[in-house]
Amino acid sequence: MGKKSDAYEAELEQIQLAIVQTQAWSIEHGSRVVIVLEGRDTAGKDGAIKRLTEHMSPRQTRVIALPKPSDRETSQWYFQRYVPHLPAAGETVIFNRSWYNRAGVEPVMGYCKPEQYAQFMTDAPRFERMLTDDGIILIKIWLDISREEQAKRLKERRVDPLKQFKLSSLDAEAEARFDAYSDARDRMLDETDRPFAPWVVVATDDKKTARLNIGRYILSILNHTSVEVKKPDPKVLLSAAKAKGKLAR
């Protein structure tokens, strides 16, 4: 391995050790942690989650990636299918896509009505305020990827047999509707970025750099470790407000 790869592996190990220590503290003190990972297709959610959870407690950690809602679920209060997955004391729950499907995929693809989308934009901050007021630590991360890098990764998916489970019927739509997804992302960040549940945006064209900064950011929020970890790189990880004008178009 080259020096750059060695440095990545060394820092990743430090971050993972810090995450283990932090989770041990959280379990002992009964903290409830929710991490929402959102972003475009191929932005690196799966890879980031794999590195985050690699050494975490399997009993106290859950990764939630819900399938398409059933007919019964579509008749429920929108947030109802997510509530049962929220953490109890000492648990960490990572949503690999979340209730924010209604802010991105659903309106872009026409899977929800305009009035449902508008209602979600009103309700999401209220829902998240309820969570945080009850003591849940809510961390929201948007993974942003350029049009060119996304096209490259989608092409790799189609030709690599080891990535067949990443293939989706929506892959082609991700490219064709790139601009529509950009507009939906911008409105989502504008309307659901709140002081009690802020968004941060991570540039993910460089996967390894993105993974390190995701880990750094989570640890900067939880901050219960004796391991020294670098602060997030402001060129890679930005607040929603500072990300305006710098996001992929």
Side-chain angles (χ1 to χ4, degrees):
M1 292 190 294
K3 290 183 179 179
K4 186 176 181 180
S5 183
D6 289 344
Y8 164 75
E9 293 294 343
E11 186 177 353
L12 179 61
E13 185 175 347
Q14 287 294 98
I15 287 172
Q16 289 177 328
L17 177 57
I19 287 172
V20 168
Q21 288 187 357
T22 293
Q23 188 178 33
W25 186 96
S26 295
I27 292 170
E28 180 181 353
H29 290 81
S31 298
R32 292 171 292 160
V33 180
V34 171
I35 300 172
V36 169
L37 276 177
E38 291 285 345
R40 298 182 192 268
D41 288 333
T42 77
K45 294 180 291 296
D46 292 338
I49 290 170
K50 180 178 179 180
R51 274 71 183 183
L52 284 174
T53 60
E54 187 172 4
H55 303 290
M56 292 178 72
S57 166
R59 293 186 178 181
Q60 302 297 114
T61 307
R62 287 182 284 122
V63 177
I64 307 301
L66 297 182
K68 178 181 176 181
S70 66
D71 290 342
R72 182 176 184 275
E73 287 173 326
T74 57
S75 71
Q76 296 173 340
W77 174 51
Y78 178 71
F79 296 95
Q80 190 168 338
R81 70 191 301 245
Y82 298 98
V83 170
H85 301 286
L86 293 173
E91 293 181 345
T92 298
V93 173
I94 301 174
F95 283 95
N96 184 349
R97 295 196 184 278
S98 65
W99 45 91
Y100 281 101
N101 278 332
R102 181 141 291 179
V105 172
E106 290 191 18
V108 170
M109 296 301 300
Y111 296 157
C112 68
K113 299 175 181 178
E115 56 268 30
Q116 291 176 313
Y117 173 60
Q119 187 67 51
F120 172 83
M121 287 300 189
T122 299
D123 290 346
R126 295 173 178 170
F127 175 65
E128 292 170 1
R129 187 60 186 256
M130 291 173 66
L131 300 184
T132 56
D133 280 354
D134 198 56
I136 288 176
I137 300 169
L138 177 59
I139 299 173
K140 301 191 302 187
I141 305 173
W142 172 268
L143 308 186
D144 206 52
I145 187 172
S146 69
R147 188 189 300 261
E148 296 76 19
E149 182 63 21
Q150 184 188 60
K152 176 185 173 184
R153 293 183 191 178
L154 287 171
K155 182 177 179 180
E156 290 173 353
R157 281 185 181 182
R158 290 191 286 267
V159 299
D160 187 345
L162 293 177
K163 295 182 178 181
Q164 65 172 311
F165 294 120
K166 289 181 174 286
L167 289 173
S168 164
S169 59
L170 296 178
D171 284 353
E173 299 293 344
E175 289 188 88
R177 302 179 189 240
F178 195 92
D179 292 337
Y181 275 112
S182 295
D183 292 341
R185 172 205 60 202
D186 293 349
R187 182 175 175 185
M188 179 197 77
L189 293 177
D190 281 343
E191 298 194 26
T192 64
D193 178 57
R194 302 296 174 89
F196 54 86
W199 279 105
V200 293
V201 178
V202 182
T204 65
D205 278 14
D206 184 323
K207 290 182 180 181
K208 291 183 177 180
T209 299
R211 291 167 188 164
L212 294 179
N213 279 279
I214 290 168
R216 292 170 185 171
Y217 175 67
I218 291 171
L219 288 166
S220 75
I221 299 296
L222 302 179
N223 194 27
H224 294 294
T225 175
S226 61
V227 179
E228 187 173 341
V229 176
K230 294 180 181 179
K231 294 182 179 179
D233 184 344
K235 295 180 181 179
V236 178
L237 189 147
L238 298 167
S239 68
K242 290 183 178 180
K244 285 186 177 180
K246 300 180 180 179
L247 296 170
R249 301 299 304 177

